C-alpha cells in the first residue's frame, strides 16, 4: 500500500463519524429535528462550496461531510431503536437452532410487510420448551406471545448476556411451549431450504472424512464455525493459548477462499472477459460462504472487502485497504447500527486496522533478502500488531490476556491454513463421490 496518506482513508473517516453518531444517539438523547436540521445545514453548505470555491474549501467540505455523517448516524440509530413489531408476529428463524437439555434456542426475525422496514425488522431470542420439534434455519412460524425484555446480569463481573444480545440486534425474548411451522412461503423458503440442505451435506461430508467426534467437531468449527460438536476442553485450550479466533469463521477463512479462487483463475489469463467471470464466481462463492457460515460480522466484513477487491480487479483498479475497510464498516453499520457493540465486529475491525497501519509501517522499516526470514518476520509482525490494536477490547471484555499468543499463532496459523485447504479439497472429492481414503486420512 505504501505510505498512508489522506487519499487512502476517506471512506474509513466517514465510517468513523457514522460510528460516532450511532454512539451519541445510544448514550444521549438528541431530538430528531435537531439532528435533521444540522444535517440539512451541513448538506446545504456542502453544495454551496461545490459550486463556489473559497480558500481552504477542501477543509470546509471535509468538516461538512463529517458533520453530515455524524447526523446520519444519530438518525439511523434512532430509526432502529424505535422500530416496533405488531402483536401477532410472523417470524423467520434467522440462526441455526441449538438444542439443549430441556429447550431449543434460536433467533427469529419478524417478516416485515414494508420494504422500508426490511432491515429494521425486530429480532427476538426464542426459547422453545419442546425439544422434539424439528426446526431449521429459515423456517417461518406465527405467534402472538408477548415478548419480554432480556435480563441484565445479577452480579457486576457476571457475563452480560443482555449486552451480548443487544450487539446482535436483540432486546426482547419470546418463550414458547411449542412451535408450529408455516408451510408455503415461495422463493424465500426454497432459498433457505437450499442453505439448510448445504449445511446437512457439509456435516455428512465431514462425518465421512473425520471418523472421531473430536476431529469432526474441530473440523466443522475451523471450516464453518459450527461448534455444536466441539468439546469444552478443546475450546478452553484454544482460548488460553490466544488462538480462539481459529475456532470462529473469520476474515482469515474468507481471505483464504478468495485467494484460492484468484489462484485458480490465474492460468486462464487476465483478459477482460476472464476478469468478469472471476468477479461473478468470487461474488457467488463469497455470498454462499457467508450465508452458510451464519452471516457472522467478521465474515460479512471480510466478504465485503474481498468483493470490493474483486470488483477493483475486474475493472483494473487498485484499492486501498483502509478505504475498503471503511466502506465495509459503512455498509454494516448502516444496515445494522447495533454492530458497534458486537465483539466480533470490534475485534475484526481493530485487528485489520493494526495489520493495515502498524504492520505496514514496521514492514517498511526492514528489508529481508532471505524468504524464510521474511516469512517469519511478517507472521510475527502481523500477530503482534493485531494483538496490540485489539488488546484494549480483550482486556475490557475478558479481564485477561493470553501469554502464549505469539508462539501459538506462529505455529497453529500455518497448520490450520494447510488443514483448511486439505479439508476443503477432501469435502469437494466427497461431494464428487471420489473416495480418496489416503487424502482423508492425512487430513
Amino acid at each position: 500500500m505504501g505510505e498512508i496518506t489522506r487519499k487512502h482513508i476517506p471512506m474509513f473517516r466517514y465510517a468513523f463519524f457514522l460510528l460516532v453518531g450511532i454512539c451519541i444517539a445510544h448514550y444521549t438523547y438528541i431530538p430528531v429535528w435537531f439532528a435533521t436540521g444540522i444535517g440539512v445545514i451541513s448538506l446545504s453548505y456542502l453544495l454551496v462550496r461545490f459550486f463556489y470555491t473559497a480558500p481552504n474549501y477542501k477543509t470546509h467540505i471535509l468538516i461538512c461531510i463529517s458533520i453530515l455523517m455524524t447526523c446520519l448516524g444519530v438518525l439511523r440509530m434512532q430509526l432502529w431503536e424505535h422500530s416496533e413489531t405488531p402483536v401477532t408476529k410472523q417470524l423467520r428463524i434467522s440462526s441455526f437452532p441449538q438444542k439443549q437439555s430441556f429447550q431449543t434456542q434460536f433467533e427469529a426475525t419478524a417478516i416485515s410487510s414494508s420494504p422500508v422496514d426490511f432491515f429494521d425488522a425486530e429480532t427476538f431470542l426464542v426459547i422453545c420448551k419442546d425439544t422434539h420439534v424439528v426446526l431449521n434455519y429459515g423456517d417461518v412460524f406465527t405467534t402472538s406471545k408477548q415478548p419480554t425484555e432480556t435480563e441484565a446480569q445479577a452480579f457486576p463481573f457476571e457475563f452480560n448476556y443482555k449486552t451480548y444480545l443487544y450487539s446482535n440486534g436483540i432486546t426482547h425474548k419470546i418463550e414458547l411451549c411449542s412451535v408450529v411451522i408455516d408451510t408455503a412461503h415461495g422463493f424465500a423458503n426454497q432459498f433457505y431450504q437450499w442453505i439448510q440442505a448445504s449445511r446437512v451435506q457439509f456435516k455428512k461430508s465431514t462425518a465421512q472424512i473425520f471418523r472421531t467426534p473430536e476431529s469432526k467437531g474441530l473440523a466443522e468449527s475451523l471450516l464453518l464455525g459450527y461448534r455444536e460438536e466441539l468439546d469444552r476442553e478443546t475450546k478452553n485450550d484454544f482460548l488460553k493459548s490466544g488462538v480462539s479466533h481459529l475456532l470462529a469463521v473469520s476474515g482469515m477463512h474468507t481471505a483464504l477462499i478468495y485467494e484460492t479462487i484468484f489462484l485458480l483463475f490465474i492460468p486462464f489469463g487476465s483478459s477482460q472477459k476472464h476478469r468478469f467471470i472471476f468477479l461473478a464466481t468470487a461474488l457467488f462463492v463469497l455470498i454462499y460462504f457467508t450465508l452458510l457460515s451464519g452471516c457472522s460480522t467478521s465474515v460479512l466484513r471480510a466478504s465485503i472487502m474481498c468483493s470490493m477487491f474483486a470488483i477493483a480487479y475486474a475493472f483494473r483498479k487498485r484499492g486501498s485497504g483502509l478505504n475498503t475497510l471503511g466502506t465495509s464498516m459503512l455498509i454494516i453499520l448502516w444496515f445494522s447500527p447495533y454492530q458497534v457493540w458486537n465483539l466480533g465486529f470490534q475485534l475484526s475491525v481493530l485487528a485489520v486496522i493494526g495489520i493495515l497501519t502498524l504492520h505496514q509501517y514496521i514492514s517498511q522499516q526492514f528489508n529481508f533478502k532471505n524468504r524464510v526470514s521474511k516469512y517469519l518476520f511478517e507472521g510475527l509482525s502481523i500477530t503482534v500488531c493485531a494483538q496490540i490494536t485489539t488488546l484494549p477490547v480483550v482486556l475490557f471484555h475478558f479481564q485477561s490476556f493470553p501469554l502464549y499468543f505469539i508462539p501459538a499463532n506462529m505455529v497453529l496459523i500455518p497448520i490450520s491454513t494447510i488443514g483448511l485447504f486439505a479439508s476443503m479439497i477432501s469435502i469437494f472429492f466427497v461431494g464428487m463421490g471420489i473416495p480418496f481414503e489416503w487424502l482423508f486420512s492425512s487430513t
Side-chain angles (χ1 to χ4, degrees):
M1 184 177 62
E3 183 183 359
I4 297 174
T5 59
R6 290 177 61 183
K7 69 178 182 179
H8 289 114
I9 57 172
M11 299 304 292
F12 182 76
R13 184 191 297 120
Y14 304 150
F16 171 77
F17 283 106
L18 183 70
L19 186 150
V20 169
I22 290 172
C23 292
I24 291 174
H26 179 71
Y27 292 109
T28 61
Y29 173 73
I30 295 182
V32 175
W33 62 266
F34 181 78
T36 304
I38 297 296
V40 170
I41 292 173
S42 300
L43 181 60
S44 302
Y45 186 79
L46 183 66
L47 294 174
V48 170
R49 279 289 164 256
F50 266 123
F51 295 101
Y52 302 98
T53 59
N56 301 322
Y57 78 98
K58 291 184 177 180
T59 304
H60 296 174
I61 290 177
L62 172 63
I63 294 173
C64 287
I65 295 178
S66 301
I67 296 174
L68 181 61
M69 293 305 298
T70 304
C71 293
L72 286 175
V74 171
L75 296 173
R76 185 66 188 90
M77 188 62 185
Q78 290 187 345
L79 180 64
W80 178 76
E81 287 187 332
H82 291 90
S83 59
E84 294 182 357
T85 306
V87 176
T88 302
K89 297 170 283 294
Q90 193 175 41
L91 305 174
R92 184 185 299 278
I93 298 176
S94 54
S95 70
F96 297 114
Q98 305 291 327
K99 284 193 176 182
Q100 301 173 357
S101 301
F102 304 102
Q103 62 188 23
T104 302
Q105 187 170 296
F106 55 89
E107 297 174 9
T109 302
I111 298 178
S112 177
S113 58
S114 172
V116 179
D117 299 330
F118 177 78
F119 291 103
D120 288 328
E122 198 168 359
T123 301
F124 302 93
L125 174 68
V126 180
I127 300 171
C128 178
K129 302 294 179 62
D130 185 4
T131 56
H132 299 289
V133 63
V134 179
L135 300 172
N136 296 315
Y137 174 69
D139 286 345
V140 175
F141 64 97
T142 303
T143 179
S144 57
K145 183 69 177 291
Q146 192 69 21
T148 58
E149 274 196 66
T150 53
E151 302 91 355
Q153 76 275 25
F155 302 100
F157 296 102
E158 189 180 359
F159 176 69
N160 194 337
Y161 196 52
K162 182 175 183 178
T163 302
Y164 168 76
L165 290 175
Y166 184 84
S167 68
N168 291 316
I170 300 172
T171 58
H172 290 73
K173 66 178 181 179
I174 301 175
E175 296 184 5
L176 301 173
C177 295
S178 62
V179 173
V180 179
I181 302 301
D182 299 346
T183 52
H185 288 285
F187 175 76
N189 191 44
Q190 296 177 8
F191 171 78
Y192 284 104
Q193 286 181 352
W194 175 53
I195 296 296
Q196 180 64 26
S198 300
R199 175 183 166 88
V200 172
Q201 184 59 43
F202 169 77
K203 283 183 166 290
K204 287 182 180 178
S205 301
T206 54
Q208 293 181 40
I209 299 169
F210 304 97
R211 304 300 172 84
T212 63
E214 293 81 6
S215 61
K216 182 177 182 294
L218 184 59
E220 290 180 354
S221 181
L222 287 171
L223 284 166
L224 285 176
Y226 299 162
R227 301 191 186 187
E228 297 93 340
E229 301 180 35
L230 190 65
D231 58 284
R232 184 178 297 275
E233 185 178 352
T234 302
K235 292 180 183 178
N236 292 334
D237 290 340
F238 272 75
L239 181 63
K240 291 176 182 177
S241 59
V243 289
S244 58
H245 58 90
L246 295 177
L247 294 179
V249 179
S250 60
M252 184 185 77
H253 299 71
T254 314
L256 285 175
I257 292 175
Y258 176 76
E259 287 294 331
T260 302
I261 300 171
F262 187 81
L263 291 174
L264 290 175
F265 270 83
I266 287 180
F268 297 101
S270 58
S271 65
Q272 196 61 48
K273 181 179 70 173
H274 290 135
R275 286 174 182 259
F276 281 120
I277 295 175
F278 161 76
L279 174 62
T281 304
L283 291 178
F284 174 78
V285 173
L286 289 172
I287 293 172
Y288 178 69
F289 176 74
T290 303
L291 293 171
L292 193 61
S293 60
C295 293
S296 65
T297 307
S298 55
V299 175
L300 189 59
R301 189 269 312 158
S303 295
I304 294 174
M305 290 187 68
C306 290
S307 300
M308 294 186 64
F309 280 121
I311 294 172
Y313 174 77
F315 289 94
R316 301 180 184 271
K317 302 292 183 179
R318 186 178 179 182
S320 162
L322 282 175
N323 212 19
T324 307
L325 174 63
T327 305
S328 66
M329 290 173 61
L330 270 175
I331 295 173
I332 292 173
L333 292 178
W334 182 256
F335 290 117
S336 306
Y338 50 83
Q339 295 285 359
V340 173
W341 292 271
N342 187 286
L343 181 58
F345 178 82
Q346 296 172 6
L347 293 176
S348 178
V349 170
L350 289 174
V352 175
I353 290 174
I355 294 171
L356 293 177
T357 56
L358 191 57
H359 165 67
Q360 289 283 352
Y361 175 77
I362 293 175
S363 62
Q364 290 173 4
Q365 310 306 313
F366 298 91
N367 186 17
F368 294 93
K369 295 182 179 180
N370 188 291
R371 290 188 176 181
V372 176
S373 301
K374 183 178 181 180
Y375 171 78
L376 292 175
F377 176 80
E378 290 282 332
L380 178 63
S381 175
I382 289 174
T383 300
V384 173
C385 292
Q387 288 288 343
I388 289 174
T389 50
T390 57
L391 179 60
V393 174
V394 171
L395 291 177
F396 177 79
H397 286 282
F398 302 107
Q399 293 84 43
S400 64
F401 181 71
L403 298 176
Y404 308 108
F405 72 92
I406 292 180
N409 277 281
M410 293 293 291
V411 173
L412 286 180
I413 285 181
I415 293 176
S416 64
T417 302
I418 296 172
L420 283 171
F421 275 119
S423 301
M424 290 175 186
I425 295 171
S426 300
I427 290 173
F428 173 76
F429 282 125
V430 166
M432 297 290 290
I434 303 174
F436 278 169
E437 292 295 336
W438 62 269
L439 179 62
F440 302 162
S441 300
S442 60
T443 302

